[in-house]
Amino acid sequence: MPVTETRVGIGFDVHRFEEGRPLVLGGVRIDHPRGLTGWSDADALLHAIADAVLGAAALGDIGRHFPPSDPAWRDADSRELLRAAVTLVARDGWSVANVDGTVLAEAPRIAPHVEGMRREIAEACRTGPDRISVKATTMEGMGFVGREEGIASLAVVMLARETGA
Ligand code: MG
């Protein structure tokens, strides 16, 4: 009888706002005066999800697999990075059972973009949008998020695989 084995992983990421950069979150380009800066396209939500995918399979983190020193990932589309993380865990038989992500941002409003993000994340995770949750909260004006210095994201991912028992 096949048995479904599951694992859970957690991810966190943060990127700083910078003038003149496009804002990309959850694989969606958002119209905003400033974008996020850093490694690749600085998509803090997709980075948190990719870290949670790798964490669930105990395969380290995205810094280990996709190092910022590697020019291949400079200004890269983070959907490619998430696809690569999902491909890595698939080698061990894992598939994404569900994703629950939270964006911490004072601005812009995330709600109008949630459905687009769910579709992008689902495609990168090789699953359906019904298994992908994206939520958002402000920080009530407190801390670096409250001062609009950057955007942070949290994610939990469950992986599943069938094992013979
Ligand atoms: Mg990052």
Side-chain angles (χ1 to χ4, degrees):
M1 282 280 286
V3 173
T4 303
E5 184 184 2
T6 58
R7 300 271 180 87
V8 68
I10 187 170
F12 173 79
D13 195 35
V14 59
H15 284 277
R16 184 185 296 274
F17 275 124
E18 189 175 277
E19 302 285 343
R21 290 268 301 186
L23 177 59
V24 183
L25 259 188
V28 173
R29 175 88 178 254
I30 298 175
D31 190 29
H32 193 61
R34 294 181 299 165
L36 298 173
T37 187
W39 176 47
S40 70
D41 61 10
D43 189 325
L45 178 57
L46 294 195
H47 292 182
I49 293 169
D51 246 356
V53 167
L54 294 171
L59 285 177
D61 60 25
I62 56 174
R64 173 174 144 199
H65 293 280
F66 319 112
S69 55
D70 183 347
W73 297 107
R74 183 174 302 157
D75 293 326
D77 183 335
S78 290
R79 290 174 298 184
E80 292 296 334
L81 194 147
L82 179 55
R83 282 187 199 109
V86 170
T87 298
L88 262 175
V89 301
R91 283 187 204 159
D92 293 332
W94 296 112
S95 60
V96 174
N98 78 298
V99 174
D100 188 14
T102 298
V103 176
L104 284 64
E106 212 67 27
R109 283 192 67 238
I110 303 301
H113 308 287
V114 161
E115 292 311 313
M117 292 179 183
R118 292 176 68 207
R119 282 195 298 271
E120 294 296 334
I121 295 162
E123 186 276 328
C125 290
R126 305 180 195 168
T127 188
D130 59 315
R131 291 169 178 264
I132 309 295
S133 160
V134 173
K135 315 184 302 300
T137 183
T138 71
M139 292 282 280
E140 302 275 334
M142 296 180 288
F144 68 86
V145 169
R147 292 188 297 270
E148 298 187 41
E149 293 170 9
I151 287 179
S153 294
L154 297 158
V156 171
V157 169
M158 181 161 282
L159 300 181
R161 69 180 174 189
E162 300 290 315
T163 55

